[in-house]
Amino acid sequence: MRKHKRLIFAVLIILIFAALNCTAVFAEVTESQVQQAVDSSSKEAVTGNVFVWFLCAVGFLKVAQKIDSFMSSLGISVGQTGGSMLSEAMVVMKSISSIQKMRGKGGGSGNAVSGNGSSGGIFSGGLAGIAGRHFTQNTISGVTNQGGDPISRQTFQSSLAKGGNFANNIIGKVAAGNISTMGSITGKTASQAALSYLGYTGKADAPRFSDVEIGGGRIMGKEISAANPEGIPFGMYRADQYMEPHAGKFDIVDSADGAKWYRQYAENAVEKIPYTNVDGKVEYYENIVQKLPDMPKRKDRV
């Protein structure tokens, strides 16, 4: 018995020192270090590291639970946490099996299809895939002012400042998405997003954008450049969602994610404002204004 007590005391001392060291390490991890890790590698790599740490933490807790059980069998009062690892594993496997059966009944082919057309459903890509999709959705919620979290917003802003792929892919998803469900990018973020998404980041002759809204297959706003110092309204329509414009001039531009867009600028048009003259007749004031051509039709509504 005395031998067991010495062994238990030694194990407790080791665990206490390990816990203190872990606390010191995690206390020094700051948001800037997380951002630096994302910048130096990738979001997927950092996400994978987080999950490796999570699994190690779960393993540590399970070992601690077994030690608690052993100490309790020796008559030492300890707090019991959690349940049987085997029973918990069985519950998880049963849940996964139920979801797989539901997926099999969901369609003729029995395969779940994700939003981008790939099969695999919510488990596609394993834990890293699930975490990546969750992080992407958080970022979309942040840039559309529907939620999000500080880490995803900071990651997006850092990538946006460099014209990075992560930011451009997020912008592309919102640009092609449904405004009623996904929302849109507006305000200062939208002006910066248009600069990055259209490939102007870092260019000396890049235009400036204002009053921009991105979403629903459209990018609308005002472009300010050397040719148009006062600014000119423009409209862009994603080619795989909109028909080719039938009114006014247009050109085709490629965005950073490889999508093609029809771009139109406002053209001079005559605006007539009616008034009644001294003889009681209706006449018109005529002004020349800049006006965008009629918006092209959506392909899903033709």
Side-chain angles (χ1 to χ4, degrees):
M1 186 67 179
R2 183 176 299 174
K3 194 174 187 179
H4 285 168
K5 288 184 177 179
R6 288 179 179 175
L7 176 61
I8 293 169
F9 180 76
V11 171
L12 287 175
I13 292 297
I14 293 173
L15 289 176
I16 289 171
F17 274 110
L20 290 175
N21 289 334
C22 289
T23 303
V25 170
F26 293 129
E28 293 176 359
V29 177
T30 63
E31 183 176 336
S32 62
Q33 290 174 321
V34 173
Q35 181 59 44
Q36 184 179 1
V38 172
D39 292 338
S40 62
S41 54
S42 66
K43 170 177 66 67
E44 290 78 8
V46 175
T47 302
N49 292 338
V50 171
F51 268 99
V52 170
W53 174 87
F54 174 75
L55 293 176
C56 291
V58 171
F60 174 80
L61 293 174
K62 287 300 180 182
V63 172
Q65 180 181 335
K66 292 299 181 183
I67 294 175
D68 285 353
S69 300
F70 176 69
M71 294 174 65
S72 179
S73 67
L74 296 178
I76 301 174
S77 178
V78 294
Q80 293 290 334
T81 58
S84 169
M85 181 182 291
L86 179 61
S87 63
E88 292 172 358
M90 291 176 65
V91 170
V92 172
M93 292 303 297
K94 185 173 179 63
S95 300
I96 295 175
S97 177
S98 299
I99 293 173
Q100 293 287 355
K101 289 179 180 178
M102 292 174 64
R103 288 172 55 200
K105 296 178 181 178
S109 63
N111 292 326
V113 179
S114 62
N116 59 6
S118 61
S119 62
I122 60 174
F123 295 108
S124 176
L127 291 175
I130 295 172
R133 287 188 292 275
H134 180 70
F135 190 84
T136 297
Q137 186 56 48
N138 270 350
T139 307
I140 290 174
S141 298
V143 299
T144 57
N145 297 317
Q146 296 181 356
D149 58 71
I151 293 179
S152 61
R153 285 193 291 268
Q154 180 63 29
T155 303
F156 175 81
Q157 290 296 335
S158 177
S159 178
L160 182 63
K162 304 172 184 176
N165 290 334
F166 175 69
N168 288 329
N169 287 335
I170 293 295
I171 298 166
K173 289 180 182 296
V174 177
N178 190 324
I179 289 182
S180 62
T181 56
M182 186 174 289
S184 62
I185 307 176
T186 58
K188 184 179 179 181
T189 300
S191 299
Q192 296 173 339
L195 200 68
S196 175
Y197 189 58
L198 298 179
Y200 290 117
T201 301
K203 293 186 178 180
D205 58 346
R208 292 184 293 113
F209 297 100
S210 64
D211 303 326
V212 177
E213 182 177 14
I214 301 173
R218 304 190 306 269
I219 302 175
M220 314 296 289
K222 180 180 287 188
E223 180 182 305
I224 304 167
S225 63
N228 296 284
E230 299 295 325
I232 182 171
F234 73 92
M236 294 178 60
Y237 312 96
R238 193 176 169 105
D240 60 358
Q241 293 177 264
Y242 282 85
M243 302 290 290
E244 186 176 293
H246 66 278
K249 299 177 181 179
F250 71 91
D251 61 347
I252 299 176
V253 297
D254 295 324
S255 54
D257 60 353
K260 293 189 178 299
W261 296 77
Y262 301 122
R263 179 175 60 184
Q264 292 187 296
Y265 289 101
E267 299 176 354
N268 290 334
V270 177
E271 180 184 54
K272 293 183 177 182
I273 303 175
Y275 73 97
T276 304
N277 63 17
V278 293
D279 296 328
K281 295 181 179 180
V282 177
E283 295 187 1
Y284 296 90
Y285 293 112
E286 295 185 350
N287 296 317
I288 296 180
V289 296
Q290 289 184 329
K291 185 179 179 181
L292 279 171
D294 293 338
M295 185 181 300
K297 295 181 180 180
R298 288 185 61 95
K299 291 183 176 181
D300 58 356
R301 297 176 185 173
V302 175

